[in-house]
């Protein structure tokens, strides 16, 4: 989430050599503008308020500036995932139902650290939210992709357990202890991706603070790079 979508999207393009992003007019219903970049077969999206009085604008005020605010996970069986989150007492704040893609946004008060969305696509490798080239098919794309997120929360262990339960995966494992306290890691099966939960610091509250991406074609040195309030780090493999 950024105050200036064009500025942050431009910095991402210059740093990583990414092609022009897709701009989805559909986010206008939320009072937003956006830019969606393909990173391998995963995606990095920048959104910004397009009018006053939006939830996005209030988020930026609460966080004190740009930062990571949403994590979207693709699931094979969205109906089962929806039943699971209902059984956990997680509130749903928005849903989308299209023939080739569907989404369920969860209340951040029930899943701490970010807005979590559970999405489904058909064909499985397609992704309408990334534009016409990804709708119903898979275009040629670079290798690599998002391999992990770091999420700052007040209670890393509790947040990790909650995210794991929402995603229907194994209980998390305890990670190393930092100067701010213990961390907890959730491994996503079959994807070689991980979620790392760390103690919130710096007085900014909870949010996504780092994204790791395999195959970053960085043009500005070896990184890591802080863009839009988020640290981007490369990863081999």
């Amino acid at each position: 989430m950024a105050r200036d979508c064009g500025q942050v999207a431009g910095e991402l393009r210059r740093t990583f050599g990414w092609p022009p992003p897709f701009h989805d007019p559909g986010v206008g219903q939320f009072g937003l503008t956006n830019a969606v970049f393909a990173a391998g077969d995963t995606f990095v999206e920048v959104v910004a308020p397009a009018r006053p009085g939006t939830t996005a604008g209030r988020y930026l005020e609460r966080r004190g500036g740009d930062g990571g605010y949403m994590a979207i996970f693709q699931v094979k069986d969205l109906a089962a995932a929806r039943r699971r989150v209902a059984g956990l007492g997680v509130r749903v704040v928005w849903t989308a139902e299209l023939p080739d893609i569907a989404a369920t946004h969860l209340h951040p008060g029930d899943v701490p650290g970010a807005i979590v969305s559970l999405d489904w696509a058909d064909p499985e490798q397609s992704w309408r939210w990334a534009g016409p080239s990804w709708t119903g098919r898979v275009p040629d794309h670079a290798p690599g992709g998002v391999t992990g997120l770091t999420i700052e929360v007040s209670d890393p262990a509790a947040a990790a357990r909650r995210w794991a339960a929402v995603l229907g995966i194994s209980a998390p494992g305890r990670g190393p202890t930092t100067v701010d306290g213990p961390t907890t890691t959730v491994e996503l099966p079959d994807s070689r991706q991980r979620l790392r939960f760390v103690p919130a610091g710096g007085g900014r509250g909870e949010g996504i603070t780092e994204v790791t991406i395999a195959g970053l074609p960085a043009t500005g040195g070896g990184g890591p790079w802080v863009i839009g309030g988020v640290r981007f780090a490369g990863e081999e493999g």
Side-chain angles (χ1 to χ4, degrees), residues 175-196:
T177 298
T178 69
V179 293
D180 296 314
T183 66
T184 306
T185 300
V186 173
E187 299 284 345
L188 304 186
D190 304 322
S191 67
R192 293 186 293 179
Q193 295 171 312
R194 71 199 65 83
L195 307 171
R196 181 171 173 260

Side-chain angles (χ1 to χ4, degrees), residues 26-156:
V27 301
Q29 66 176 295
F30 304 110
L32 300 173
T33 184
N34 81 337
V36 183
F37 293 95
D41 62 354
T42 65
F43 304 90
V44 175
E45 179 178 8
V46 184
V47 297
R51 62 172 185 254
T54 62
T55 300
R58 290 189 290 273
Y59 172 87
L60 288 168
E61 291 172 4
R62 186 169 62 252
R63 286 281 287 168
D66 298 356
Y69 88 109
M70 188 172 190
I72 300 175
F73 299 89
Q74 184 175 351
V75 298
K76 293 181 181 295
D77 188 338
L78 185 56
R82 286 171 168 170
R83 291 193 296 270
R84 181 170 61 250
V85 298
L88 293 168
V90 175
R91 289 167 288 177
V92 172
V93 296
W94 182 79
T95 61
E97 302 287 347
L98 296 170
D100 63 321
I101 202 161
T104 302
H105 292 187
L106 307 180
H107 197 296
D110 298 337
V111 187
I115 296 175
V116 170
S117 181
L118 304 178
D119 292 32
W120 162 91
D122 181 32
E124 186 175 337
Q125 294 79 20
S126 68
W127 198 251
R128 173 185 285 265
W129 309 136
S133 65
W134 285 87
T135 300
R137 62 193 182 94
V138 184
D140 291 337
H141 57 275
V146 174
T147 59
L149 303 177
T150 297
I151 306 106
E152 289 194 357
V153 289
S154 58
D155 186 337

Side-chain angles (χ1 to χ4, degrees), residues 2 4-19 21 35 37 44 46 66 216-220 224-232:
D4 187 329
C5 182
Q7 185 271 323
V8 173
E11 191 170 351
L12 288 168
R13 284 198 67 195
R14 289 189 297 273
T15 302
F16 303 131
W18 287 343
F37 293 95
V44 175
V46 184
D66 298 356
L216 276 182
T219 59
W225 310 264
V226 177
I227 302 173
V230 175
R231 174 182 162 112
F232 288 83

